[in-house]
Amino acid sequence: MISQISSFEQYQEAYNQSVTDPEGFWAEVAQNFQWRKPWKKTLEWDFATANTKWFVGGKMNITENALDRHLATRGDQAAIIWESNDPEEESITLTYKMLHQKVCQFANVLKKHGAKKGDRICIYMPMIPELAIAVLACARIGAIHSVVFGGFSAQSIADRINDAQCNIVITSDGSFRGNKEIALKSTVDDALVQCSSVQKVIVSTRTRTPVSMIKGRDVWWENEVKTVSSDCPAEEMDAEDMLFILYTSGSTGKPKGVVHTCGGYMVYATYTFANVFQYQPEQVHFCTADIGWITGHSYIVYGPLCQGATTLIFEGIPTYPDAGRFWDVIDKHKVDILYTAPTAIRSLMSFGNQFVENKDLSSLKTLGSVGEPINEEAWHWYDENIGKGKCPIVDTWWQTETGGIMISPIAGVTKTKPAYATLPLPGVQPILVDEQGNEILGNGVSGNLCIKFPWPGIIRTTYGDHERCIQTYFSTYKNLYFTGDGCMRDEDGYYRITGRVDDVMNVSGHRIGTAEVENAINMHLGVIESAVVGYPHDIKGQGIYAYVICDSQMEDQALIRKDILATVTRLIGPIAKPDKIQFVSGLPKTRSGKIMRRILRKVAEGETSNIGDTSTLLDPLVVEEIIGGAL
Ligand code: WT7
């Protein structure tokens, strides 16, 4: 097991070592895992070509580290506790022994249906134990999983399946979310009309919604597991073999398949889990993210299980049956660590304190926040009402591309400051740069956040298009990984992330590209052109504001608005629906035809006077009209 930093002096020592001797530092951490063959070289890297390799030549399987190696020491300890959407439904506990057995069994089902090392497998499931089992079963046989969040549309699934050329899809009949029942299998069916690479669909039962099963393609999970043994030796993987692909939005229209590999990701997710949250044996860790996002991959599945932790999987939503549900779950399962998003905190805060007051939250030791900047008001509410002033809050900054937490307090070790992610973890070397890429030195400064040295969890490539990886992350500034975030470093050297500096929005902690939403809106017949920006939103952090030019023939604006929302839902999913749609006759464009988003952002923020320089605009009058009609 990974040893933990337990004092600020130890943190400083570890940090210094990680900078002066990064390879020695990470080699020592990696010794705590089970390797079939040791690595020959700890690190090889070149940011110019976006090439990073950790633990070169090392052989291993992440599931041996997450499961097998715990069997002797904690086989009967809970690995997964599952809490249903419905508070009346009995929860499920899977011990390490049971989880190991189920993973091996399902891995054999995958093999039976032709899956082999290197295949890509799409997983589109609700938050049930089978989702974690499916993920681990892929890793067991060396297949590369691509989990697609259960809220995405058929079109989004199809795009992701086609990009990765998946041959198998694992799904469920449906999912429960609050008082809603959502069809999953039928959405997969719609997607697969466009996906010729898919040979098999494995369907687990959750909602018992009637589904159509296609002969020769679709099989039931429950039937299949009965036909195989539960003995499945783990495939031997190279440290740099792909473990998974996870799609994320960027500033261009098409989501990118972020690739993580087996060895470095395992070491990084586990190291950060053990240290940031200061997880102690027998504690219950509750990360409220969905496994369909990186937070769920790293801090529900891989990090906790590799550290031998008990991880809680919650199927439902924070407000069902009422806004006290998280607190009920914490009380019921005696949760020690809660890791959630500012949007959830703000939402629950808005319901008032009556949902918290009578709940027993005394089991809590550590609180975490992730996904977007946490405002001071939410930070204090979280601290006082949930942590009762005695739980450290770790505001963890990281990204899908970083694999694990990068800048964050270490619970109980780093002095916290509301709204600050505080200090880089050992192994992380952040720098701030100006627009030209010059390093901004000293404290009390702001700039664009870059990282100047590789860490084991760094993105390896964007699936099928390495050039895009170079362009997106390693070309803006020479020899630096560019995060896309703006950041300040205060007088104490503490980091505060201020938000994206590119055309990416952060809506309820979800990353959504403006171009992606524009493309979806533009698909609507009545739309000529559109421009999308984010604007400050009390609960979501950012809301989506769309400026739309419509065909003059279309007069019923209420109808077009409804149709646009339906189109976006169909093409991306409900999370990308604009909160506001303003119909305009033109957009503020420069003479070269570039939309001046700066102006649109100002108007969306409610600014009417300080719009800034509009002299380079082709038609400055359009700005007057936009301000006049602002929502
Ligand atoms: C973007 C990454 C991996 C975390 C879940 C989202 C923003 C994330 C914080 C934080 C301020 C944050 C950044 C980042 N972000 N955590 N603690 N404080 N901003 O992962 O979808 O890859 O989004 O989320 O803007 O670039 P993601």
Side-chain angles (χ1 to χ4, degrees):
M1 273 335 82
I2 287 198
S3 61
Q4 292 156 326
I5 289 167
S6 59
S7 69
F8 195 69
E9 290 66 42
Q10 274 183 26
Y11 159 73
Q12 285 173 313
E13 221 172 277
Y15 191 81
N16 291 339
Q17 192 209 341
S18 80
V19 173
T20 49
D21 179 20
E23 296 189 32
F25 176 82
W26 287 113
E28 211 174 286
V29 174
Q31 295 296 350
N32 295 295
F33 294 83
Q34 201 171 293
W35 296 83
R36 293 241 188 123
K37 277 196 203 108
W39 58 93
K40 296 192 187 74
K41 202 164 169 225
T42 307
L43 171 65
E44 254 175 48
W45 69 291
D46 174 26
F47 275 178
T49 54
N51 245 309
T52 312
K53 290 192 171 87
W54 281 94
F55 313 114
V56 183
K59 305 283 178 194
M60 38 81 67
N61 185 294
I62 196 167
T63 69
E64 286 185 336
N65 285 276
L67 302 169
D68 303 58
R69 90 180 148 137
H70 304 312
L71 296 179
T73 48
R74 46 172 61 89
D76 296 318
Q77 180 202 301
I80 290 175
I81 297 174
W82 175 78
E83 171 70 21
S84 164
N85 176 63
D86 175 1
E88 304 298 321
E89 184 176 352
E90 221 176 306
S91 51
I92 295 174
T93 297
L94 296 180
T95 64
Y96 272 94
K97 268 187 202 151
M98 291 155 80
L99 182 61
H100 176 262
Q101 190 243 336
K102 285 180 184 291
V103 168
C104 289
Q105 197 169 47
F106 191 66
N108 280 332
V109 171
L110 291 175
K111 280 190 184 167
K112 174 182 162 188
H113 290 287
K116 51 189 192 319
K117 181 173 175 175
D119 286 355
R120 279 80 52 216
I121 296 183
C122 174
I123 303 178
Y124 183 71
M125 290 178 87
M127 283 284 282
I128 54 178
E130 286 72 15
L131 168 51
I133 293 165
V135 162
L136 292 163
C138 290
R140 186 88 179 163
I141 63 168
I144 301 161
H145 55 77
S146 165
V147 184
V148 177
F149 171 60
F152 277 119
S153 67
Q155 186 60 50
S156 296
I157 301 169
D159 293 343
R160 285 156 175 75
I161 288 176
N162 288 334
D163 187 74
Q165 289 292 296
C166 299
N167 57 351
I168 296 179
V169 179
I170 308 168
T171 187
S172 294
D173 47 0
S175 73
F176 295 118
R177 302 270 297 162
N179 53 25
K180 291 202 199 87
E181 199 180 305
I182 301 155
L184 296 181
K185 171 63 164 64
S186 74
T187 303
V188 168
D189 289 337
D190 289 345
L192 293 192
V193 174
Q194 301 180 48
C195 306
S196 56
S197 60
V198 174
Q199 307 292 319
K200 293 281 170 190
V201 179
I202 305 174
V203 189
S204 88
T205 306
R206 175 60 186 134
T207 55
R208 303 194 177 272
T209 325
V211 296
S212 56
M213 298 290 280
I214 290 180
K215 200 184 291 169
R217 189 193 75 178
D218 303 351
V219 295
W220 289 104
W221 176 304
E222 293 76 12
N223 294 344
E224 292 304 306
V225 290
K226 287 183 200 142
T227 67
V228 294
S229 94
S230 48
D231 176 29
C232 179
E235 187 75 27
E236 184 166 292
M237 304 297 283
D238 190 275
E240 284 298 336
D241 280 338
M242 287 185 198
L243 174 63
F244 65 84
I245 306 170
L246 191 54
Y247 285 84
T248 189
S249 299
S251 35
T252 60
K254 199 173 154 240
K256 298 180 283 283
V258 172
V259 171
H260 285 289
T261 55
C262 297
Y265 173 81
M266 168 181 78
V267 169
Y268 199 68
T270 314
Y271 177 80
T272 51
F273 170 74
N275 276 286
V276 170
F277 303 103
Q278 291 285 305
Y279 180 88
Q280 303 303 316
E282 314 279 307
Q283 288 189 336
V284 177
H285 175 77
F286 177 17
C287 167
T288 71
D290 193 287
I291 293 175
W293 309 110
I294 190 73
T295 308
H297 280 57
S298 300
Y299 301 111
I300 296 178
V301 182
Y302 288 117
L305 295 177
C306 287
Q307 185 68 2
T310 299
T311 182
L312 194 146
I313 297 181
F314 174 45
E315 182 186 36
I317 58 173
T319 50
Y320 179 82
D322 63 39
R325 187 65 194 281
F326 275 1
W327 325 131
D328 290 332
V329 174
I330 290 166
D331 184 6
K332 178 172 172 188
H333 298 289
K334 300 291 167 246
V335 167
D336 295 88
I337 303 167
L338 173 67
Y339 189 29
T340 194
T343 188
I345 298 167
R346 288 190 297 264
S347 154
L348 296 175
M349 189 168 96
S350 74
F351 285 89
N353 284 0
Q354 75 268 25
F355 290 101
V356 192
E357 272 154 7
N358 52 349
K359 304 292 159 74
D360 182 1
L361 302 180
S362 59
S363 58
L364 286 174
K365 313 278 183 309
T366 301
L367 303 177
S369 171
V370 61
E372 48 177 324
I374 180 166
N375 48 310
E376 290 197 36
E377 192 194 355
W379 195 98
H380 286 295
W381 186 85
Y382 199 27
D383 180 37
E384 285 155 29
N385 296 284
I386 309 307
K388 314 289 181 196
K390 65 173 179 58
C391 301
I393 297 179
V394 291
D395 175 1
T396 63
W397 173 84
W398 58 297
Q399 310 179 295
T400 304
E401 295 86 345
T402 69
I405 300 168
M406 300 285 282
I407 303 182
S408 167
I410 293 177
V413 166
T414 315
K415 201 166 164 286
T416 59
K417 193 184 277 192
Y420 281 78
T422 75
L423 298 170
L425 295 180
V428 176
Q429 301 189 35
I431 79 166
L432 302 183
V433 299
D434 64 17
E435 295 299 322
Q436 285 71 47
N438 304 310
E439 179 165 9
I440 302 172
L441 296 163
N443 288 341
V445 293
S446 330
N448 288 343
L449 178 63
C450 295
I451 315 287
K452 67 176 174 199
F453 195 87
W455 61 98
I458 191 173
I459 179 176
R460 298 304 197 270
T461 189
T462 44
Y463 192 83
D465 190 354
H466 190 67
E467 190 51 36
R468 197 166 173 207
C469 179
I470 301 176
Q471 281 307 323
T472 312
Y473 306 105
F474 299 96
S475 297
T476 317
Y477 305 112
K478 202 163 174 273
N479 283 322
L480 295 174
Y481 167 82
F482 177 44
T483 65
D485 282 319
C487 179
M488 62 173 276
R489 184 168 54 220
D490 76 357
E491 295 302 336
D492 297 327
Y494 269 33
Y495 290 85
R496 177 180 189 156
I497 313 306
T498 46
R500 304 289 306 191
V501 293
D502 52 8
D503 292 321
V504 173
M505 299 174 288
N506 190 327
V507 181
S508 301
H510 302 316
R511 206 158 126 179
I512 301 173
T514 54
E516 219 179 321
V517 182
E518 287 163 4
N519 291 347
I521 294 175
N522 296 347
M523 289 292 281
H524 183 62
L525 182 66
V527 172
I528 294 172
E529 199 183 355
S530 65
V532 164
V533 296
Y535 71 97
H537 186 287
D538 285 347
I539 306 284
K540 298 179 176 184
Q542 276 191 314
I544 303 179
Y545 196 121
Y547 298 89
V548 178
I549 306 174
C550 274
D551 191 325
S552 56
Q553 312 290 306
M554 305 263 176
E555 267 160 16
D556 188 345
Q557 292 199 340
L559 186 67
I560 304 179
R561 179 172 285 118
K562 208 172 121 240
D563 287 347
I564 288 174
L565 295 180
T567 306
V568 173
T569 304
R570 180 173 296 277
L571 292 175
I572 308 174
I575 56 173
K577 273 196 303 200
D579 298 274
K580 295 181 177 179
I581 298 176
Q582 180 182 351
F583 293 105
V584 294
S585 67
L587 292 166
K589 286 191 183 167
T590 60
R591 287 189 188 92
S592 60
K594 199 168 168 275
I595 297 174
M596 286 187 82
R597 287 170 187 281
R598 177 176 56 79
I599 295 174
L600 297 176
R601 273 195 289 266
K602 280 260 164 89
V603 176
E605 282 164 14
E607 187 72 62
T608 52
S609 42
N610 291 314
I611 294 300
D613 185 14
T614 56
S615 61
T616 56
L617 288 181
L618 192 61
D619 175 14
L621 279 182
V622 78
V623 178
E624 305 295 314
E625 182 211 314
I626 288 175
I627 295 174
L631 301 169

